[in-house]
Amino acid sequence: MILDLQIAPLRTDYSQSIRQLAQKPGRRPVAGRTANSHTLGLAAIQYNQQWQAGVMTASLGQGRYCGAAQTLTVTFGYDERTVYVARELPQGSCIHGEVLAHEMRHVAVDEQLLREYVPVLKRRLEDVVGRSRPVQGRSERQVMAAIEQPIKAAMRQLMDEFGRERNARQARIDTPAEYERIGQSCDGEINRYLGRV
């Protein structure tokens, strides 16, 4: 099995307004966060996976085919990573630094999770391929589908588990106490900029 880890370069974007950040996809609701609270920053990280099974097939004659998985190539990781800080927060200001530091914690959690998850993904997919047996069918397409089905099921389960774990870890950062801390940091500097929103 070949596992290609993908980690896109991290970009920063300070051009989006608080209102624009609030409308971006990928924001998670935070328990205890008030309705009038603002999205001051966002770590937008998209993970993705692709895979391809190398299958050898042969005709058995009389319209029958046999095939077996030979290789599995998987690409997994983050294909887009952008940290946003609202443009209302001047670069170089204390509150800009606090929001940026908060968002970088999200980035660090994602990077750590990816490092932990790659060996799990590799081991479990190697198990799936290792358990596969030659398959017979009435067409090469039918043989391919039968070989790929357990791989598809395993990838779906692995991605669901990865997503749930990622959400759980990120939620431990986005707490009401953390938002309260940021709001009170920098001697309340944030109030100067939120008054303009």
Side-chain angles (χ1 to χ4, degrees):
M1 184 184 136
I2 299 167
L3 180 57
D4 181 24
L5 185 60
Q6 179 180 18
I7 304 179
L10 182 65
R11 298 183 319 115
T12 54
D13 185 333
Y14 306 144
S15 68
Q16 305 288 305
S17 69
I18 290 171
R19 181 170 286 131
Q20 287 170 314
L21 292 181
Q23 295 170 354
K24 285 207 172 289
R27 293 178 55 248
R28 290 176 305 280
V30 178
R33 195 168 182 193
T34 61
N36 64 351
S37 58
H38 299 282
T39 302
L40 304 176
L42 180 67
I45 298 177
Q46 173 132 13
Y47 61 95
N48 195 11
Q49 57 82 20
Q50 296 177 336
W51 62 272
Q52 182 173 6
V55 177
M56 188 171 80
T57 60
S59 173
L60 299 174
Q62 299 178 344
R64 300 289 296 170
Y65 292 84
C66 178
Q70 298 294 300
T71 61
L72 178 62
T73 303
V74 177
T75 301
F76 176 67
Y78 303 127
D79 58 5
E80 184 179 318
R81 305 189 315 150
T82 306
V83 170
Y84 298 92
V85 177
R87 70 174 175 229
E88 289 87 349
L89 309 182
Q91 291 182 49
S93 66
C94 177
I95 193 61
H96 184 278
E98 284 288 334
V99 172
L100 181 58
H102 171 89
E103 298 308 329
M104 291 306 292
R105 288 176 60 199
H106 286 296
V107 171
V109 163
D110 277 330
E111 290 175 352
Q112 178 63 34
L113 177 59
L114 190 61
R115 282 192 297 274
E116 291 174 18
Y117 207 73
V118 163
V120 172
L121 184 104
K122 188 170 173 53
R123 184 181 69 248
R124 288 179 49 190
L125 289 175
E126 284 174 344
D127 287 349
V128 169
V129 173
R131 286 193 312 267
S132 69
R133 298 289 173 251
V135 173
Q136 291 187 23
R138 290 186 299 275
S139 68
E140 287 182 296
R141 176 179 278 172
Q142 188 181 52
V143 168
M144 286 285 291
I147 291 169
E148 290 178 347
Q149 190 280 327
I151 299 169
K152 281 182 187 175
M155 285 301 294
R156 192 169 35 250
Q157 182 179 3
L158 285 161
M159 292 304 99
D160 287 348
E161 289 172 11
F162 181 84
R164 283 193 304 272
E165 181 62 22
R166 180 176 183 265
N167 288 341
R169 291 186 187 196
Q170 296 296 359
R172 290 195 285 266
I173 295 171
D174 286 334
T175 64
E178 172 67 358
Y179 287 117
E180 181 74 17
R181 184 195 68 74
I182 291 172
Q184 292 179 0
S185 66
C186 304
D187 294 324
E189 177 185 359
I190 187 64
N191 295 320
R192 266 187 287 173
Y193 308 118
L194 291 183
R196 302 175 194 167
V197 179

